[in-house]
Each structure stands twice: as structure tokens, then as C-alpha cells.
Amino acid sequence: MQQGSGTTKFVRADGPDKVTGSGRYAADMVLPGMLFAAFRYAEVSHARIVELDVEAARSMPGVLAVLTDDDVPDVRYGAGVADRTLFARGVVRFEGEVVAAVAATTPEAARSAADAIVFEYEELPAIVDVEQAIEPVSPLVHAGWEDYEASTERGHNVASYSSITLGDTDTALAAAHTVVTSRYVADASHAVPIEPRAVLAQWEGDKVTIWSSTQVPFDAQAGVCETLEMPANRVRVVVPHLGGGFGGKCGFHFEAHVAALARAARRPVKLVFTRREEFTAPDRRREGMVIELTSGLDADGRIVARTGEVLIDCGAYIADGAFFPQVASMHIAGPYSIPNVSIEASLVYTNHQPSGSVRAPTAPQGCWAVESHTDELAETVGLDPVEFRRLNAVREGATGPSGQVYGPIGLLDCIDAAVASASYGTDLAADEAVGVAVGWWPTFAVPSGAYVKINGDGSGQIITGAQECGTGSVMTLCQLAAEEVGLNPEDFQLVYQDTAAGPWDMGATGSQTLVNNGRAVVAASQQIADALKKLAADQLEASPDDIELLEGQARVVGTPAASIAIGELAAIAAGGELLLGHGSGPPPVAPEISATCVGDQGMAAWVAPQFSCHAIRVKVDRDTGVVRVLSVAAAHDSGTIINPMGAQGQVHGGVLMGIGQALSEGTVYDDRGNQMNPGLLEYKLQTIADAPPISIDFVGVAAPDGGPRGSKGIAEAPNVATAAAIANGIAKVVGARLTQLPMKPERVWEASSGAAEAGGR
Amino acid sequence: MQFVIAETLEHALELMASGSRPIAGGTDLVVGARQGKEPLPDALVAIDRLGVLASIDGGTGEDGEIVIGACVSHATIAGHGDIIDLVPGLADGSSLVGSPATRHVGTIGGNIMNASPAMDTGAPLLAAGAAVEVASTRGSRLLAVADLWLGPGQTSVDSDELCVAVHIPRPGPRTSSAYVRLEYRRTMEIAVVGAGAQVSLSDDGSVASASVALTAVAPVIIAVQGLSEVVGLQPGEAARTVARLASEQSRPISDLRASDRYRRHTVGVMASRAVLAACRRAAGEEIAVPVNRSEGIGAGYPGDAVANTTADGVEL
Ligand SMILES: Cc1cc2nc3c(=O)[nH]c(=O)nc-3n(C[C@H](O)[C@H](O)[C@H](O)COP(=O)(O)OP(=O)(O)OC[C@H]3O[C@@H](n4cnc5c(N)ncnc54)[C@H](O)[C@@H]3O)c2cc1C
């Protein structure tokens, strides 16, 4: 395994706080005079509001504020399509839509007042099936959609459409030696952070401070500014310890509701979600998908053409889903060299809870479909699935399905490493098999910023806008700063998760912290390094160009005896020009592509793409359909690994989340669009007792267009190919394909007994 | 709301006579209230500190009966030598309950009095022919567990009666038991279906007598009828017959966890596996508790016992 540039074993700075219980989460916070918030939800997935009367609730004891759409600025918001208001207006479009909000002196008083709000409605037909929703005869989720401000390509119940076209698929398919068509359906699922969210808001004059369990404080801040019509410098979002997110806490959620309540009540107000609310109210659900794809092969088993159609269940509002169709299309294409590609994808409005970025949105589902299909292709031409992938996978110099030509990438290395670690090809018991799948995921190149200062005593501080959601990535920044200025990572302390302190950052989303904020921290640290070198040069009577900063010392290169402690230089600076650095650095530029993209969201040209191969050994109890994952070999090209321990943690977590998506995690809806399992009893997460041994190989190909030291992202990639590899293992054992995700025991049993009846194994 | 910690058994019975509901571990009562199943009662009497309800007699009495106090925890049962020796099926059941935390506070009395059709000690107790001892200020009585459950959450016991103990007849020679359940994950799970079996073997290794009970396939735990059919059969044949009878006699519902069709099929699979494990134990083979882990039933498989403990050796 390739080790990162980091030499020391890296212990997360927030670990002791979390383990001992001394750490504070948003729900732990208490302010004098604080009130409690409760929401009144639609609890019906599609209805016209007939009456909304809050007078009785307002006059209940202990109630200090009750708000509805009438009480907040008239603002429609939404990224890509402005389809949303803070409170329901005229129509409710999913069961968790907020109709009204209450602030009262106790949680119980708030709850009873919310229940006492008179909310009468006329039910409308629930639109719950994406295939029916796009038919012109289907009723609309948003009757007035054509009047919404939008920057996406839209249509009938389609919030965002996108296509990727390369070459000529008609001709290529007509000439193909073999053509295979498959259809796959993925159920929706959830992020399920262990901490249900909490938001606390307090006003001082015309400024508001909001403590929120968000992964994206600047996004939350922007949402508050937009909906409450405030300037950014009056809205401060602070994030205490975050109890996980997995994408579920990305986006702007309830910060404005709570801030508006606190302003109306003239008291601090706190909102704490129950588990049920965490399942039903946020616009962050992993989208259900219907995927149809067709591939043509030549006589040697090369993929010559692929067409695909993807329908993605958007739910009631677009949230951050505008780019989903394009990223889903890339996954249906897969990391293969295919000269003729035509894939269309639509994000389809329904009366389900809105979908939003959950750890690699659309990718595990798309990868599961395409990699199941890939095994079908291999079988058709009589090739071993691994050989088939080696033949078709993208590699350095090759052209990918959007026409991007790749620089140094390690997909083939990933395949080699994973199949070797999994002892692929050795004999196994009849109820066991190793399934293999490859996956990919972009690195997001976005702006970011950081300040670095060295105090008079030689200790350092990084003030960053980056957010921590449990990945440890922000803490890795200390390592980068330390390497630049010649100190130890422990010499640095972080100030972060506070929009009033740090410069803008996209947040704990898109696996982007190390790549983008790392770049900013390196840039800021380089300013300090330059200043230190100048100071040292003065002291040591040398040229700044000849000074190196190492192990706490500034030294003249080649003359180790001529040195001065960086602490001493810091003391000198403290009496003169202070050691301050600020950095952002230009984000890498998106590569050229040759495909035609309608509804382009910038997701077909991938900076520093990440690749992976998972080889997973499964065992299937054919009599019950229960699948157990016995071991996982995960190989990843995430560029240079800066912090091996942190990167491994991401793979462990991503794989386990992927196993859940594969086998047990699926949201079940009734035919009126209501969730039937919004709780941890019936929504089955994997537990630590289910965790298999996971071996990890980082193939470590430095990315020329990546982040510091040639790094890429890592946090989302590990659950991309997990469900896919498990599916291929199951199919080998039972002799049939599972065409719906999750591959629950009953579905495996049905497929297995169907195969047995059909004369299979 | 009134919450009283009972000082003596009599104290608890008096409070129950005046309308208090007992609370032992609270893992059903409190969690159920939180989930909106039923609000917490107005008056509760906590019985978890009553030492008289917390002991196990592993058959020292003259009839050799095993007597388990109502407040004995699942963790205690799962690790108790006499129970593992004599009624391992019950230990199998208790060791599957929830998580370590649930097993430490959850009690056998709470489990059976909660009367869930998915309870994990019900089938092993029914297969073992157990009886429940209940007491009130009016006196005490013994009733067969077969007569205890009326429906989900309903028992034939009066509201002022406290379960004080469970009595299990001492199994004869070459007799043993096992309980297995279908589970989708290895901890924090609830039985999709389950089966408990108690089997006595003849000297030739054939089945001399068998009783089998089923979990989560009817409104209550049910006993499989017609098991005289398996007397004289070798274990494999007996297990196949029991599987057929179990599937035929089950009356499962369809819900989020499984369809009725799938439950009907898998309860047969579980019943067959329970019978086979009970036969092997009766023949003297040691199969560690719970069978689900040591034999790979449900989500567990032989050979991956490592995964039953964390890297630091903490049992899961
Ligand atoms: C996370 C979790 C996982 C679980 N997993 C399982 C599982 O795998 N299998 C399973 O079977 N159960 C499971 N349970 C349910 C529960 O833990 C068990 O049923 C447990 O045995 C209940 O015991 P208790 O002492 O907590 O009961 P309590 O909640 O205290 O009481 C339950 C009911 O019985 C009554 N009661 C209690 N003691 C007596 C008595 N001595 N006499 C008369 N009435 C009494 C109470 O009034 C109440 O109605 C789980 C629960 C949780 C929270």
C-alpha cells in the first residue's frame, strides 16, 4: 500500500471530545430564555390548502410565536429551479412539507400548539411513479412550473434534463456483434446520520447567530440571507460538533424557519428533530432511479455503443438535484472507453420527499445497474468479468464516454489490486462467490479560502471556512500547513465551522475539503513560509532562497549548523510585522470534452477523476435469501493519499454504507407517497456486527489536476462500487440477476427460487 | 404520572391492586410509548430492584424444575451455565435479543408479558412446556405459557397480577433444545420468523418426542401440531416433516419485514434448522449459544465467528 506524504500517525483532534462526551452538539446548547420550536407538517403528500388558521395556537399558554407563509418575505428559492418557499403556499407537495412553525416555552407546549393549528386541505392525486409522471397526461406536481425562475432544461414534471451524446449509436448498434438490454430499479434510501439535526437561533439587534448541525454553513447562511432578505455579514452560522451527515445535512434546511421564529418571539429558539422528522422533512433523500440501458459489443467483447435512459425521482422540490441527471448519465456510461454513447436522464418531480446529495448522489445506484449489466455483457461474450473490464476500462491516453482524454489514472491498477487481495478465481464453496465492480467519481474543483497565522510563541492557527462532518478532513489541514512552514501538525490549532470567522468554502460535501481547502491552506502557509524565510535570511545572513524550513528550524541549505528556531523567528515577527497568511488558489480548470451535452451542468468533464474497484466475497443462504458479506477488497485511485488513516476510515465507512444500500436500506412508500419505514426499526442500517473485514489498497497515482500533492477526493468513492460488486457476487451464486435495489433477502430468495424453477442452479 | 420503586413484592402487588402497571427493564414499555404505540400509564411500579424476582434456580428443587425469576435479564439467561446445559434453546433466544444494552436491562418477565408475537423467548418456552407463576394480593397461580398469550399485547393474566417466575420442567435424558430466527442483520434485529424446538432422542438416534413452536407467524407464538408424525424418524427426515407442518400451520401477515408467502416458507426453514440443532445437542454435540451465530442461520455463517467480536474482543 502506498503511504501518503504524512509520516506521523494522525489522531483526530475532536476524538477525545466525542469519546468522553465533553463535546457539545447543537442539541446540547442552551441559552437564557430559550424557546423550543415545533413544526406542523403536511402529513399528506399532495393537497390544496383549504384553511390554515393559527389563531387558537397563538393564544395557547407558553406560545410566543406562530409563523406561516404569510409571516415571512415572499421569496421563492431553489438551486437551478426556484420551486420552493419556506412554508407551504397554497399547495403541499410532500408529507414532510412545513406548513407552520411554533415557538413556545417548552417542547410539549410547542408540540401541542402545532397540533392545534387548524389545517384543512383537499387531497390531490399523489404523483409517485416517475415513468407515469413524465407522460403528458400525468397531473403536475408544480402547476405553475413554467413561471419559476430556472437555469435547467425542463419539461412536463421534469425539473432537470440532461443528455450525453458521442458518436453515432444507431449505426454502431446496428453493426454490433451482440446487443444486450437491461432494466434496473433502485429504491430510495436515506443518509441516516446518527445525530438528528438541531438548529438554535439568537438575535442581537439586526444580526442573527445560528448554531446548526449543517455540513454546509455557507450554503445555510446563503439560504437565510435569500429567504429572510438579509446581507451575509448579519447572518452568522456556527456548527458545533456534527454527529454525522453523509450528505443528509447538506443544503439549506431549517435555519431560516428558526431564525424567523426567534425574531418574532424576541427570544432564542431551538429546534431539535426526532428520528421520524429526520427521515421525512429534510430535502435530502437518496433518489430512487429507473435505469434502462443497451450496449453493443464487437466480436472481441469491446463495447462499441451504449444507449441509456434514466429517470430519477426528484421528489417534490429540486433541492440540489439539478446536476443529478448528468452525473447519473456518466455512471450509466461507466468508466469505459465507448466510442458511441447516447444517454438521457431526467430528474422527475413526484410527491415524495425531495432528493438531495447523499454520499455520491446517483452513483451507487447507477454503478450497481451498469456493473450488473457489465457482468451480463461479459457472460454474453463468454469473457471472465474481470477480463472484460480490463479490456474496456479507461486508462491513460484513452477517451472516456464523454470524450474526455485521460492523463495518468489508476483504474487498471485498482482492478489488479482488488482481484489480487480478494484471491479472485480461487475455488469457493457453492454458496459463495466474489463479485467485482469498478466505479468512478469526480473531484469537485471549487473556490475555497483560509487564513493562517503564527503566534508570537511559535504556535500556529488555521482559520478556515471548511466544515467538518466527521471525516477528519479539516484536521488533515494541519498536516499540510505544518509541512509548508516546517512545524509539526500538533503545533496548529483550527478555527472552523463559523461563517463569521473563515472565508467561503463549499462545506463538507462533494469530497472536496482536502482538495480545495487544502489548496487554500497551502497557499496561505506559503505566504508565511516566505515571510519566515526572509526573517531567517536576515538572521542567518543568507539569501531567502537558500533557507529551508524543517523540523521547527529555519536552516541554510547545505549548512545545517546555520539555523534558527522558527519559534524565535515568530517572536521577532511578533514585535514587528506579524506572520499572517491568506490563501485561496485557483481551482483546477475542467478538461475539454468532445461529447454533446444538452442541459449541461458541468458534470461530464471531470477534474482528477477518482477510480475504484471492489471485489467482494458474499455468501448466500439460498433457502432464505439472506446474504452475508464475508470480505471486501477495495482498491482506490484517489490520487496521492495525504493522511492514510483518515482515508482508510472513509473507505471503511463508505463500504459499510454501501453494504446497507446493497442489502437492507430501502425506503418503502405507500401508494400515496408516504414513507412506511421512517424509523430505525424498519429502516435497516447495517451494524458494526455486520461489518466484514475490509482490505484497502490505494494505488496512488498522483493527479496532475488534483489538490495538494496530487490528491483527489475520497469520501464518496468507497460506496460507489460496493452494491454493484455485491450484486455480481449474488448473481453468481443464485444464477439470476437481482433487478431491484436493495437486494433484500426476500428479493434474493424470489430470484433464487425463480432461477431454480427455471432449471438454473 | 406516578412512579414508585417497589420495596417488597407485597408492596408491588398492593400498588398493582390499586391500578399501577409494572415496569421491569422498560425496553418495551418506554420505547413503545415513544413510538406512539401506547402512552405511558398514569401509575407505574418499578419491580427491577426486587431481588426475589431476580434469581435462577437451575433445578435444585425435588422436581428438578428450572425456575427463572421474572426480572432475570436476557444477558443473565444467555450466560447461565444451568440454562445453557438444560434448556439451551432459551439461552439461544435470550442471546439474540436486541443489543448488549437491551439484554442487560430487558427481562424475561417483560418479554413474555409484553406478548409480542415476535418475542424471542416465547417459542423456546412453549417448546419446553414452561409455565408462568403469577401473583396478586389475591394469591398466586401457575398457568401454562400455552394459555398465556391471547393476541398481540394481550395475555390471559389480570391487570393486578404480576409475573413472578417462569417454571420449566427438567428435560429428560437425551433431550435438548434450540431456537433459531430469521434475521436480516446480526444485532438490533427483530425476528422476521423464528422457531424453537425441544427434541428427545431414542437410543437409535431417532426422534422419541418433539415439540416445536413458531415465532411471528400468527397473532401469538404457536405450537406446531401433529408432531407424533415425526416420532421414530431420523433427524433429517424429522426436520423435513416439521418444516412442512410449520409452513402449513403458520398464518403469517404481510408487513414491511416480509410477505406472508416468504414468512410461510422461511418459518419452515427455521423450524427444520431448530429441529436439527436440537437433535445434535440431544445427541451430545455441543453447539454454542446462539445457534444463529455458531451455525450460520439467518445472517450468520459458520467460519466467521471472528465477526462476533470487535477487534478488542467485545462481544456483539
Ligand atoms: C432496541 C431493542 C431491541 C429489542 N430486540 C428484541 C429482540 O430481539 N427480541 C425480543 O424478543 N425483544 C426485543 N426487544 C423487546 C424487549 O427488549 C424485550 O421484550 C424485553 O424482554 C422486555 O423486557 P423489559 O423488562 O424491558 O419489559 P418492560 O418494558 O419493563 O415491560 C414490558 C411489558 O410487560 C409488563 N411487565 C413487565 N414485567 C412484568 C411482570 N413481571 N409481570 C407482569 N407484567 C410485566 C409491563 O407492564 C409492560 O407492559 C427489543 C427492544 C429494544 C428497545
Side-chain angles (χ1 to χ4, degrees):
Chain A
M1 186 199 295
Q2 178 246 12
Q3 293 298 317
S5 60
T7 44
T8 44
K9 251 201 171 182
F10 172 82
V11 178
R12 318 173 38 119
D14 62 353
D17 263 11
K18 288 183 170 172
V19 172
T20 60
S22 64
R24 285 289 165 269
Y25 294 82
D28 295 324
M29 298 199 50
V30 176
L31 293 175
M34 185 177 85
L35 305 177
F36 299 87
F39 289 158
R40 178 67 183 262
Y41 295 102
E43 285 174 10
V44 53
S45 63
H46 200 194
R48 191 185 340 276
I49 301 176
V50 173
E51 192 187 351
L52 185 60
D53 184 349
V54 299
E55 282 322 305
R58 276 204 175 115
S59 57
M60 285 170 71
V63 174
L64 276 84
V66 183
L67 303 180
T68 70
D69 183 47
D70 292 339
D71 307 299
V72 291
D74 177 9
V75 176
R76 233 176 232 292
Y77 68 94
V81 184
D83 59 10
R84 188 100 200 242
T85 50
L86 280 183
F87 293 95
R89 179 178 299 177
V91 175
V92 293
R93 298 188 177 85
F94 75 105
E95 59 175 324
E97 183 148 8
V98 179
V99 172
V102 176
T105 47
T106 66
E108 294 75 17
R111 186 73 262 148
S112 343
D115 293 343
I117 291 168
V118 179
F119 170 52
E120 278 169 18
Y121 55 82
E122 178 196 328
E123 208 166 332
L124 298 169
I127 297 143
V128 295
D129 180 315
V130 288
E131 288 170 288
Q132 286 169 17
I134 55 168
E135 295 295 331
V137 293
S138 168
L140 287 164
V141 175
H142 291 270
W145 67 276
E146 277 163 304
D147 299 331
Y148 293 165
E149 252 181 65
S151 59
T152 57
E153 193 71 28
R154 294 181 300 155
H156 189 85
N157 277 330
V158 173
S160 176
Y161 163 91
S162 131
S163 66
I164 297 177
T165 314
L166 185 72
D168 174 358
T169 48
D170 287 347
T171 309
L173 281 176
H177 177 263
T178 323
V179 174
V180 178
T181 296
S182 313
R183 179 189 156 92
Y184 289 94
V185 175
D187 294 350
S189 60
H190 276 86
V192 204
I194 289 308
E195 173 205 28
R197 77 197 55 222
V199 179
L200 168 61
Q202 171 169 258
W203 289 80
E204 284 157 296
D206 61 357
K207 287 192 306 206
V208 65
T209 302
I210 303 168
W211 292 265
S212 175
S213 41
T214 178
Q215 292 174 244
V216 288
F218 286 94
D219 201 5
Q221 179 198 41
V224 174
C225 293
E226 183 179 5
T227 55
L228 300 187
E229 300 183 326
M230 295 176 63
N233 62 2
R234 303 236 170 98
V235 179
R236 177 181 180 195
V237 177
V238 182
V239 188
H241 278 320
L242 197 58
F246 312 103
K249 291 175 186 159
C250 288
F252 157 56
H253 284 117
F254 305 101
E255 290 87 0
H257 298 83
V258 180
L261 279 173
R263 181 156 65 180
R266 298 171 169 277
R267 298 256 211 114
V269 175
K270 180 161 83 172
L271 170 78
V272 180
F273 263 10
T274 62
R275 178 60 63 189
R276 187 191 164 84
E277 287 174 297
E278 190 61 40
F279 264 100
T280 54
D283 53 16
R284 282 297 180 283
R285 167 194 68 141
R286 185 183 284 288
E287 51 292 329
M289 284 166 60
V290 178
I291 299 154
E292 278 178 3
L293 74 167
T294 295
S295 300
L297 304 177
D298 70 12
D300 299 331
R302 282 204 174 73
I303 311 173
V304 293
R306 172 160 299 162
T307 62
E309 188 174 348
V310 187
L311 298 180
I312 305 165
D313 183 354
C314 175
Y317 298 99
I318 192 165
D320 70 342
F323 71 99
F324 288 11
Q326 201 170 25
V327 80
S329 298
M330 287 297 283
H331 279 93
I332 298 316
Y336 297 110
S337 287
I338 311 178
N340 301 287
V341 174
S342 170
I343 299 172
E344 294 184 288
S346 298
L347 184 66
V348 182
Y349 280 127
T350 64
N351 292 116
H352 288 147
Q353 173 191 26
S355 297
S357 288
V358 173
R359 202 175 198 166
T362 76
Q365 309 97 300
C367 181
W368 162 78
V370 81
E371 287 297 278
S372 295
H373 179 74
T374 304
D375 266 28
E376 292 181 279
L377 296 178
E379 195 179 338
T380 326
V381 291
L383 278 179
D384 176 83
V386 170
E387 282 321 308
F388 184 88
R389 285 177 175 80
R390 283 199 177 107
L391 182 66
N392 285 289
V394 291
R395 62 206 72 198
E396 183 167 0
T399 305
S402 65
Q404 177 174 347
V405 179
Y406 296 101
I409 54 171
L411 178 53
L412 291 176
D413 303 341
C414 287
I415 296 177
D416 292 345
V419 300
S421 293
S423 306
Y424 183 81
T426 51
D427 282 344
L428 295 173
D431 54 356
E432 290 183 23
V434 175
V436 175
V438 297
W440 63 348
W441 188 247
T443 291
F444 291 82
V446 292
S448 186
Y451 309 122
V452 176
K453 59 177 182 173
I454 303 290
N455 303 311
D457 63 356
S459 65
Q461 203 112 34
I462 301 170
I463 299 128
T464 170
Q467 172 59 34
E468 176 61 47
C469 72
T471 63
S473 56
V474 172
M475 291 155 222
T476 304
L477 297 171
C478 297
Q479 203 174 313
L480 292 173
E483 284 178 22
E484 293 300 323
V485 304
L487 291 170
N488 293 315
E490 301 79 54
D491 295 331
F492 283 88
Q493 283 290 313
L494 280 160
V495 176
Y496 60 120
Q497 26 211 58
D498 183 343
T499 59
W504 191 88
D505 180 84
M506 191 163 86
T509 177
S511 313
Q512 65 90 30
T513 301
L514 189 57
V515 168
N516 295 301
N517 202 244
R519 176 185 71 239
V521 166
V522 167
S525 304
Q526 279 167 353
Q527 292 183 349
I528 303 233
D530 289 346
L532 284 172
K533 284 178 184 173
K534 273 202 201 98
L535 281 171
D538 283 351
Q539 299 297 317
L540 301 174
E541 296 178 359
S543 155
D545 294 344
D546 291 336
I547 303 290
E548 61 178 3
L549 304 170
L550 266 179
E551 294 161 356
Q553 302 286 322
R555 299 193 296 227
V556 179
V557 179
T559 321
S563 74
I564 181 167
I566 290 173
E568 264 179 71
L569 298 175
I572 295 167
E577 194 177 349
L578 299 181
L579 287 170
L580 300 176
H582 65 91
S584 177
V589 178
E592 301 264 307
I593 57 170
S594 57
T596 310
C597 299
V598 176
D600 190 15
Q601 296 283 331
M603 278 289 131
W606 287 7
V607 163
Q610 307 164 53
F611 295 93
S612 62
C613 179
H614 286 189
I616 300 187
R617 190 167 144 213
V618 300
K619 179 155 185 141
V620 184
D621 180 352
R622 283 205 196 86
D623 285 337
T624 62
V626 172
V627 174
R628 182 144 176 78
V629 174
L630 296 182
S631 61
V632 175
H636 281 257
D637 170 12
S638 273
T640 305
I641 300 301
I642 307 283
N643 169 16
M645 202 195 265
Q648 285 163 17
Q650 291 307 298
V651 179
H652 289 148
V655 164
L656 204 53
M657 194 165 176
I659 295 175
Q661 282 162 42
L663 300 178
S664 60
E665 290 186 50
T667 290
V668 185
Y669 287 95
D670 66 15
D671 54 12
R672 298 166 100 181
N674 303 306
Q675 291 182 45
M676 295 175 74
N677 55 343
L680 294 179
L681 180 58
E682 306 295 356
Y683 183 95
K684 303 263 181 219
L685 293 172
Q686 295 290 299
T687 71
I688 201 68
D690 302 295
I694 300 169
S695 74
I696 302 170
D697 287 287
F698 292 119
V699 302
V701 179
D705 55 348
R709 329 272 189 261
S711 56
K712 306 179 184 178
I714 176 70
E716 289 163 293
N719 69 337
V720 174
T722 302
I726 291 171
N728 288 337
I730 295 173
K732 276 191 195 170
V733 175
V734 306
R737 283 267 145 213
L738 273 286
T739 56
Q740 192 166 1
L741 199 64
M743 299 171 287
K744 294 193 269 198
E746 186 163 354
R747 289 174 177 166
V748 175
W749 173 70
E750 294 279 3
S752 170
S753 39
E757 272 162 34
R761 286 191 284 171
Chain B
M1 205 246 248
Q2 174 191 304
F3 183 93
V4 180
I5 298 169
E7 275 153 30
T8 61
L9 180 58
E10 293 66 35
H11 184 201
L13 297 182
E14 275 161 29
L15 286 164
M16 283 184 68
S18 58
S20 287
R21 273 269 293 282
I23 177 164
T27 59
D28 271 317
L29 197 73
V30 180
V31 175
R34 255 222 323 226
Q35 289 175 342
K37 225 191 249 167
E38 189 191 355
L40 280 180
D42 289 337
L44 281 172
V45 51
I47 56 170
D48 58 312
R49 297 187 192 178
L50 295 177
V52 287
L53 302 182
S55 62
I56 296 180
D57 179 344
T60 54
E62 65 186 67
D63 49 7
E65 241 185 14
I66 300 131
V67 183
I68 304 173
C71 284
V72 173
S73 72
H74 293 292
T76 304
I77 292 172
H80 197 278
D82 291 338
I83 294 184
I84 292 171
D85 282 351
L86 298 168
V87 269
L90 180 62
D92 287 332
S94 276
S95 65
L96 292 177
V97 171
S99 63
T102 328
R103 292 194 287 277
H104 276 282
V105 287
T107 64
I108 188 168
N111 198 231
I112 60 174
M113 299 309 287
N114 191 57
S116 157
M119 74 175 96
D120 283 313
T121 65
L125 287 174
L126 186 53
V132 182
E133 181 185 347
V134 295
S136 69
T137 50
R138 297 174 283 131
S140 65
R141 63 187 177 116
L142 210 58
L143 75 160
V145 289
D147 299 327
L148 177 65
W149 304 302
L150 302 178
Q154 288 175 305
T155 68
S156 60
V157 166
D158 287 328
S159 65
D160 66 340
E161 287 182 307
L162 184 74
C163 166
V164 292
V166 175
H167 295 244
I168 304 171
R170 190 183 189 83
R174 288 176 70 76
T175 299
S176 195
S177 59
Y179 174 74
V180 299
R181 75 176 186 190
L182 178 61
E183 49 186 10
Y184 297 155
R185 61 183 179 193
R186 290 157 57 101
T187 186
M188 296 298 280
E189 188 53 303
I190 197 127
V192 184
V193 296
Q198 178 158 305
V199 181
S200 300
L201 295 180
S202 306
D203 290 342
D204 66 355
S206 69
V207 172
S209 70
S211 56
V212 177
L214 310 177
T215 312
V217 288
V220 295
I221 305 289
I222 57 169
V224 177
Q225 306 298 318
L227 287 180
S228 52
E229 241 189 84
V230 303
V231 173
L233 299 181
Q234 288 298 315
E237 189 59 28
R240 276 190 288 281
T241 306
V242 169
R244 175 175 53 78
L245 293 173
S247 290
E248 280 170 8
Q249 292 172 25
S250 67
R251 292 171 279 141
I253 54 165
S254 287
D255 62 11
L256 281 168
R257 288 170 207 158
S259 71
D260 53 354
R261 191 172 104 82
Y262 179 64
R263 277 203 169 95
R264 195 168 294 118
H265 165 75
T266 51
V267 80
V269 176
M270 292 302 117
S272 148
R273 291 175 182 179
V275 167
L276 287 174
C279 288
R280 283 165 57 195
R281 279 176 171 163
E285 190 181 332
E286 228 173 86
I287 306 177
V289 166
V291 177
N292 263 63
R293 296 289 166 272
S294 47
E295 291 293 292
I297 285 150
Y301 286 91
D304 64 336
V306 199
N308 285 325
T309 51
T310 66
D312 305 331
V314 178
E315 250 188 73
L316 293 166

